């Protein structure tokens, strides 16, 4: 009898956490409901951040750092006036030095070092206020969030903050990380088994309905693996079948965030290994668009495949990120026009992450995909706002580039992001010759050659 009691006790000790795991995480995710644990967790984190900020401010006040910063900060108006005066003087010097030029020959003979001031000033301004390169690095935080991966490090400012940081480190790596890895494993396993089962069923409306439910359930469980708290606005504007959903791009997790609320057809290059396994599992349940490596460069083949998908209203809406690369969630860069040449209805989506809890930006030149996912799973949480904008159509006589810029402007305005005209591929390539020629033309206007 005693042995039976001991065995039941041991079994109950193992079953209790399993039941809690199923009832508190898996079941709410499967039903698409929230019992408020994650939002309560965020409230506690905000209070901890406020305490840490207060301690840092006290430390700064003791050392009179604020006084020193105020003394060293330049007067903006004076700096602006100084810049205007310097600009005026440079132009006057250029005019005075170049006004005597009457031919290309005399220009060569009368060249002075001051003639290069224009390029020097433009280069210094580009370095001091570079709005492009900033988009490819993590944005600075106004306050510390107890993570050493941020731009400011205050973990050793005081003993209390050090103890708090150590406790947070142990909590993230010893509690959150194992739980999140378990959730990710459960989500992927359920998805693989469910899609394999669905592939046996005939392609009917019932299969599509079950497939959508399985997709939503698995993505919601996977979102729990990052402690994602997502707020969706204007759900009545969600993408419909036969449409194209376009969104700003910050992270590979963007797909998970959007797929927790609606089902989409994914577009991408066909891969091997684990990624290829996931792609094949996705294709068993829904019609996704995967291209071979040699087809990606064939724009006509890609366009035809997309048009064929959009023409069928029974298929899922296509999810596309027109920027083509990840931006640090402070700006929206140039949208590629290919997505806007297909036709059909465009459903814009604006996404904005809360950087206080996690820097969701993926810097692919610094971190691999595995390293990035590890950073995300050891962060506090992923908090994101998603706005569904009203559907947009291409106006009569409007080009694909103008339509893309109009959609981009609406997304940037709704998400509170900076609207930039630059191509996001500048992260991987040099500046085009056309941009260099524009600067040369502007400088040539200062030269009066007869």
């Amino acid at each position: 009898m005693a042995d039976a009691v001991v065995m039941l006790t041991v079994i109950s000790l193992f079953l209790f956490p399993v039941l809690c795991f199923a009832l508190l995480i898996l079941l709410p995710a499967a039903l698409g409901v929230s019992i408020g644990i994650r939002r309560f967790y965020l409230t506690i984190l905000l209070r901890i951040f406020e305490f840490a900020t207060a301690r840092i401010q006290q430390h700064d006040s003791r050392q009179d750092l604020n006084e020193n910063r105020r003394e060293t900060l330049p007067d903006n108006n004076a700096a602006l006036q100084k810049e205007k005066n310097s600009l005026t003087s440079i132009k006057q010097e250029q005019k005075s030095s170049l006004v005597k030029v009457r031919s290309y020959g005399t220009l060569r003979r009368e060249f002075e070092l001051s003639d290069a001031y224009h390029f020097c000033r433009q280069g210094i301004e580009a370095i001091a206020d570079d709005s492009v390169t900033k988009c490819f690095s993590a944005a600075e935080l106004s306050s510390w969030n107890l993570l050493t991966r941020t731009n400011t490090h205050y973990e050793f400012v005081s003993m209390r903050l050090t103890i708090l940081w150590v406790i947070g480190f142990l909590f993230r790596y010893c509690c959150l990380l194992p739980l999140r890895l378990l959730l990710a494993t459960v989500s992927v396993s359920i998805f693989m088994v469910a899609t394999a089962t669905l592939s046996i069923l005939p392609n009917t409306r019932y299969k599509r309905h079950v497939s959508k439910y399985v997709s939503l359930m698995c993505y919601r469980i996977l979102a729990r693996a990052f402690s994602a708290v997502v707020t969706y606005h204007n759900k009545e504007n969600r993408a419909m079948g036969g449409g194209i959903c376009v969104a700003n791009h910050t992270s590979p997790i963007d797909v998970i965030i959007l797929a927790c609320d609606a089902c989409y057809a994914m577009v991408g290059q066909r891969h091997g290994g684990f990624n290829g396994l996931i792609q094949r599992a996705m294709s068993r349940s829904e019609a996704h668009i995967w291209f071979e490596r040699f087809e990606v460069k064939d724009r006509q083949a890609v366009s035809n495949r997309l048009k064929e998908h959009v023409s069928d209203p029974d298929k899922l809406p296509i999810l596309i990120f027109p920027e083509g690369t990840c931006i640090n969630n402070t700006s929206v860069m140039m949208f590629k026009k290919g997505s806007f040449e297909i036709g059909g209805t465009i459903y814009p989506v604006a996404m904005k992450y809360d950087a206080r809890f996690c820097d969701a930006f993926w810097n692919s030149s610094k971190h691999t995909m595995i390293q990035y996912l590890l950073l995300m799973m050891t962060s506090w949480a992923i908090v994101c706002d998603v706005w569904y904008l009203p559907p947009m159509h291409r106006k009569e006589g409007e080009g694909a580039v103008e339509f893309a810029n109009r959609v981009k402007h609406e997304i940037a305005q709704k998400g509170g992001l900076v609207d930039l005209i630059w191509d996001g591929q500048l992260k991987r390539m040099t500046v085009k010759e056309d941009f260099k020629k524009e600067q040369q033309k502007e400088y040539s206007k200062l030269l009066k050659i007869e």
Side-chain angles (χ1 to χ4, degrees):
M1 185 67 180
D3 294 338
V5 172
V6 173
M7 187 174 295
L8 289 175
T9 304
V10 173
I11 293 175
S12 63
L13 290 176
F14 283 101
L15 287 179
F16 180 73
V18 174
L19 290 175
C20 292
F21 176 77
L23 293 176
L24 298 179
I25 300 178
L26 295 183
L27 186 60
L31 299 177
V33 297
S34 176
I35 58 180
I37 295 178
R38 286 171 298 163
R39 295 193 180 273
F40 178 71
Y41 165 66
L42 294 183
T43 304
I44 295 176
L45 284 178
L46 287 175
R47 292 183 179 179
I48 294 175
F49 295 162
E50 290 174 359
F51 169 78
T53 303
R55 297 297 300 179
I56 292 170
Q57 290 175 350
Q58 291 178 8
H59 179 268
D60 290 344
S61 62
R62 288 195 209 101
Q63 298 184 354
D64 292 330
L65 291 179
N66 292 333
E67 293 291 334
N68 295 333
R69 288 170 184 170
R70 277 195 289 269
E71 292 176 0
T72 56
L73 283 175
D75 186 2
N76 293 332
N77 295 330
L80 182 61
Q81 186 64 33
K82 184 178 179 180
E83 183 180 358
K84 290 182 178 179
N85 294 336
S86 63
L87 178 61
T88 303
S89 61
I90 289 174
K91 288 185 177 180
Q92 290 177 352
E93 290 178 3
Q94 290 175 339
K95 289 181 179 180
S96 62
S97 62
L98 298 176
V99 69
K100 299 179 292 182
V101 176
R102 298 302 178 189
S103 66
Y104 180 69
T106 57
L107 175 65
R108 287 192 302 173
R109 288 193 299 274
E110 298 181 13
F111 176 79
E112 297 180 2
L113 184 62
S114 60
D115 296 338
Y117 284 173
H118 174 79
F119 288 123
C120 294
R121 182 175 61 83
Q122 293 288 343
I124 294 173
E125 288 180 353
I127 295 173
D129 188 18
D130 185 3
S131 60
V132 178
T133 308
K134 292 179 181 178
C135 299
F136 307 135
S137 59
E140 295 184 6
L141 296 176
S142 57
S143 61
W144 189 45
N145 61 357
L146 302 179
L147 295 176
T148 55
R149 65 197 62 159
T150 54
N151 297 323
T152 53
H153 305 284
Y154 295 105
E155 58 266 27
F156 301 117
V157 164
S158 67
M159 181 60 68
R160 292 183 181 180
L161 276 186
T162 302
I163 294 174
L164 192 62
W165 174 75
V166 170
I167 294 174
F169 177 85
L170 295 175
F171 174 71
R172 288 185 290 110
Y173 280 87
C174 298
C175 297
L176 289 182
L177 180 59
L179 178 61
R180 289 171 174 176
L181 289 174
L182 178 61
L183 282 171
T185 304
V186 170
S187 173
V188 174
S189 301
I190 294 175
F191 184 73
M192 298 294 290
V193 174
T195 52
T197 306
L198 286 172
S199 63
I200 304 174
L201 301 177
N203 190 14
T204 59
R205 181 176 297 180
Y206 173 76
K207 177 183 177 179
R208 290 194 294 268
H209 178 74
V210 175
S211 175
K212 290 181 181 179
Y213 174 77
V214 169
S215 176
L216 290 173
M217 178 183 66
C218 293
Y219 276 114
R220 286 166 181 167
I221 296 175
L222 189 58
R224 260 77 167 174
F226 301 96
S227 299
V229 179
V230 189
T231 304
Y232 300 96
H233 307 272
N234 310 115
K235 289 188 177 184
E236 65 277 5
N237 295 326
R238 281 182 296 193
M240 306 294 290
I244 301 175
C245 177
V246 297
N248 56 301
H249 198 22
T250 304
S251 158
I253 301 177
D254 294 344
V255 176
I256 301 174
I257 297 297
L258 294 175
C260 287
D261 190 53
C263 296
Y264 299 96
M266 307 301 172
V267 180
Q269 181 178 316
R270 196 181 299 276
H271 294 278
F274 181 74
N275 290 335
L277 185 66
I278 297 297
Q279 287 180 336
R280 290 190 294 273
M282 295 171 65
S283 299
R284 293 192 196 106
S285 58
E286 289 291 348
H288 298 276
I289 305 174
W290 310 119
F291 298 99
E292 299 294 343
R293 184 181 296 273
F294 64 88
E295 291 181 314
V296 174
K297 297 183 179 180
D298 190 349
R299 295 185 59 186
Q300 188 62 36
V302 173
S303 178
N304 292 337
R305 291 277 299 277
L306 294 177
K307 287 180 180 179
E308 181 183 355
H309 185 99
V310 171
S311 62
D312 189 352
D314 293 332
K315 292 183 178 180
L316 296 176
I318 299 175
L319 177 60
I320 297 178
F321 301 101
E323 288 171 298
T325 188
C326 293
I327 311 300
N328 68 354
N329 208 223
T330 60
S331 310
V332 182
M333 304 195 78
M334 185 182 75
F335 279 8
K336 304 296 174 54
K337 65 178 182 178
S339 308
F340 303 88
E341 294 176 330
I342 302 170
T345 306
I346 298 294
Y347 295 88
V349 174
M351 303 180 65
K352 181 68 175 178
Y353 291 89
D354 193 336
R356 293 176 298 176
F357 303 97
C358 171
D359 180 20
F361 168 62
W362 180 33
N363 189 350
S364 57
S365 61
K366 185 178 180 181
H367 300 119
T368 63
M369 175 65 77
I370 300 299
Q371 291 174 332
Y372 171 76
L373 292 178
L374 181 61
L375 288 175
M376 294 300 100
M377 287 190 174
T378 54
S379 295
W380 296 114
I382 292 180
V383 182
C384 181
D385 282 278
V386 176
W387 289 273
Y388 296 107
L389 280 66
M392 302 178 66
H393 298 83
R394 188 171 173 180
K395 297 179 180 178
E396 186 176 355
E398 185 179 32
V401 176
E402 290 78 11
F403 184 32
N405 291 332
R406 184 160 60 91
V407 174
K408 177 169 68 77
H409 176 72
E410 293 296 328
I411 292 176
Q413 190 174 27
K414 191 65 177 181
L417 306 171
V418 180
D419 187 1
L420 297 177
I421 62 173
W422 298 96
D423 188 355
Q425 296 301 323
L426 287 173
K427 180 167 62 174
R428 300 181 179 90
M429 61 179 62
T430 58
V431 180
K432 295 180 180 179
E433 291 296 328
D434 295 340
F435 292 112
K436 296 180 182 180
K437 291 180 180 179
E438 288 182 6
Q439 294 296 326
Q440 293 171 355
K441 288 180 181 179
E442 290 295 326
Y443 183 70
S444 65
K445 295 178 182 178
L446 299 175
L447 304 177
K448 294 183 178 179
I449 303 175
E450 295 182 356

